[in-house]
Amino acid sequence: MQSSTVRTLLVRGMIAGVVAGLLAFALAYVVGEPSIEDSIALEEAASAPAHEHDGAAAEPAAPAEEEEELVTRPVQSTFGLATGVLVYGVALGGIASLAFAVCLGRVGRLRPRATAALVAGAAFTTVYLVPFLKYPATPPAVGNPDTIGKRTTLFFLMIVLSVLVAVIAVIAGRRLAPTLGNWNATVAAGGGYVVVMALACLLLPANTDAVRETFPAALLWEFRLASLGVQALLWTAFGLIFGALAERALRPADAHPAGQGPEAVTSTPAAHAG
């Protein structure tokens, strides 16, 4: 594939990422933000008695000005959320478009739309869904703040491991295809991925302190389902939009009859009229 074509696919992948990010932001704002607001309110209510108890035990101190927030909650839930989702969409759109350029023509006789859908589905599964099953999302301000670094490291470790095992599974499937056939090789590679990731889920430590036991289970799952829905919408929209853009970009130049480009077609009636 020529470098100019790869560059075109990269640009269109980033455009598709922007549009998909806008759709994901709308869903996150409508569905996800209410559960975040409720979670923050619960955490503040739970921590208030402790602060009041500490304040009663301590000696009265001179009043001090409250520290002003650098970024207010309304800004976080609107501009901040939109910026984060759009940057995420553009970055993953660019990476997914490069993966599409590598996979095109190498995963069977699939059209660009089908290849884009396959890449988007595989990316959603390996980058988000499988790590989510082991380390599901938790609302902000929930959990032990002292272990947030450890929990973040484990989550990204799970992402790297999932992507790496998926790449190895694809390579193994291609190597086994001449011997087992495409279908059997695909099933064997997919089964190997599932087995390895299941073992990883069993061996890696759990986030036992991510959420306190008294936190409402219904609110927690409302947030997690919203997070899962936002990611599913992001990757579904990207796959559909980028598939259409990529198919147009890769359309053969000889789509018109030989010797009849768009200019020739439009000039033919005038020639007959003369």
Side-chain angles (χ1 to χ4, degrees):
M1 185 176 293
Q2 298 180 353
S3 59
S4 59
T5 303
V6 175
R7 183 167 57 250
T8 300
L9 292 174
L10 176 62
V11 172
R12 297 195 177 199
M14 296 172 71
I15 293 173
V18 170
V19 179
L22 288 173
L23 296 175
F25 162 70
L27 182 63
Y29 183 77
V30 173
V31 178
E33 280 302 313
S35 59
I36 294 177
E37 293 286 353
D38 294 341
S39 300
I40 293 176
L42 283 174
E43 289 299 309
E44 291 178 348
S47 60
H51 288 299
E52 291 176 359
H53 182 269
D54 294 339
E59 295 182 0
E65 295 183 359
E66 293 185 0
E67 185 179 354
E68 185 179 356
E69 288 183 306
L70 296 178
V71 181
T72 62
R73 178 62 194 149
V75 173
Q76 293 176 5
S77 62
T78 53
F79 181 76
L81 176 63
T83 302
V85 174
L86 289 177
V87 171
Y88 180 79
V90 171
L92 292 188
I95 295 173
S97 65
L98 296 178
F100 168 88
V102 173
C103 294
L104 187 63
R106 294 182 173 89
V107 290
R109 298 179 180 180
L110 299 178
R111 294 176 61 86
R113 287 178 186 265
T115 303
L118 180 63
V119 170
F124 168 71
T125 302
T126 57
V127 175
Y128 186 80
L129 182 59
V130 172
F132 175 88
L133 295 177
K134 175 62 178 178
Y135 301 117
T138 56
V142 174
N144 186 356
D146 296 333
T147 62
I148 188 171
K150 174 186 175 183
R151 289 185 276 127
T152 302
T153 301
L154 288 174
F155 180 72
F156 280 101
L157 175 62
M158 192 69 178
I159 293 177
V160 173
L161 182 62
S162 176
V163 173
L164 180 61
V165 174
V167 171
I168 294 174
V170 171
I171 296 174
R174 288 177 57 84
R175 297 285 180 87
L176 293 174
T179 304
L180 303 179
N182 290 333
W183 174 257
N184 292 332
T186 301
V187 171
Y193 172 82
V194 172
V195 170
V196 173
M197 294 312 301
L199 289 175
C201 289
L202 292 175
L203 296 176
L204 288 175
N207 285 337
T208 55
D209 58 350
V211 182
R212 56 186 174 83
E213 295 180 357
T214 57
F215 192 85
L219 180 58
L220 177 62
W221 280 107
E222 179 183 342
F223 172 81
R224 288 177 173 174
L225 289 177
S227 176
L228 184 62
V230 169
Q231 289 289 331
L233 175 61
L234 175 69
W235 284 109
T236 301
F238 171 79
L240 295 175
I241 297 169
F242 178 68
L245 295 177
E247 188 143 312
R248 291 189 63 181
L250 298 172
R251 185 176 298 165
D254 58 346
H256 296 282
Q260 294 187 7
E263 299 82 0
V265 173
T266 55
S267 64
T268 302
H272 284 293

